[in-house]
């Protein structure tokens, strides 16, 4: 879902990725030049998995993507922790 509002600010809403779609999620983030991601759910809620953990564990850690997908070669670096 793409929302065009807020004086040329683009907001993209999507479900949290599954383990098998984490690469696709980060590819979309890169393609859309997104600089902020807001997660509105927990990975597990009421004993059901809602989203894969798609970010590196610690600030400064890197998540390597594309091992299971041809043509995807991305690195995700955690810069901030809330």
């Amino acid at each position: 879902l793409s929302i065009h509002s807020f004086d040329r600010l683009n907001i993209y809403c999507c479900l949290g990725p599954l383990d098998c779609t984490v690469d696709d999620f980060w590819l979309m983030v890169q393609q859309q030049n997104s600089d902020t991601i807001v997660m509105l759910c927990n990975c597990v809620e009421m004993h059901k998995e809602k989203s894969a953990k798609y970010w590196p564990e610690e600030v400064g850690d890197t998540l390597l993507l594309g091992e299971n997908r041809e043509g995807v070669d991305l690195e995700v670096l955690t810069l901030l922790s809330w």
Side-chain angles (χ1 to χ4, degrees):
L1 174 63
S2 178
I3 303 170
H4 301 283
S5 62
F6 301 107
D7 195 28
R8 298 186 339 175
L9 174 68
N10 292 329
I11 300 171
Y12 300 93
C13 302
C14 66
L15 298 172
L18 304 173
D19 287 327
C20 63
T21 62
V22 170
D23 288 358
D24 297 309
F25 172 81
W26 283 111
L27 186 59
M28 177 192 68
V29 169
Q30 181 193 35
Q31 288 172 337
Q32 299 302 322
N33 295 316
S34 299
D35 58 8
T36 302
I37 298 168
V38 178
M39 184 171 176
L40 299 175
C41 69
N42 294 313
C43 288
V44 176
E45 293 182 358
M46 298 181 72
H47 308 289
K48 290 186 177 182
E49 186 174 348
K50 296 293 182 175
S51 173
K53 186 176 172 294
Y54 55 89
W55 59 90
E57 193 68 37
E58 299 287 331
V59 173
D61 284 355
T62 300
L63 177 67
L64 298 176
L65 303 171
E67 294 176 351
N68 300 321
R69 183 178 161 115
E70 186 81 22
V72 176
D73 184 23
L74 298 171
E75 292 184 14
V76 178
L77 176 66
T78 300
L79 299 175
L80 298 173
S81 177
W82 301 99

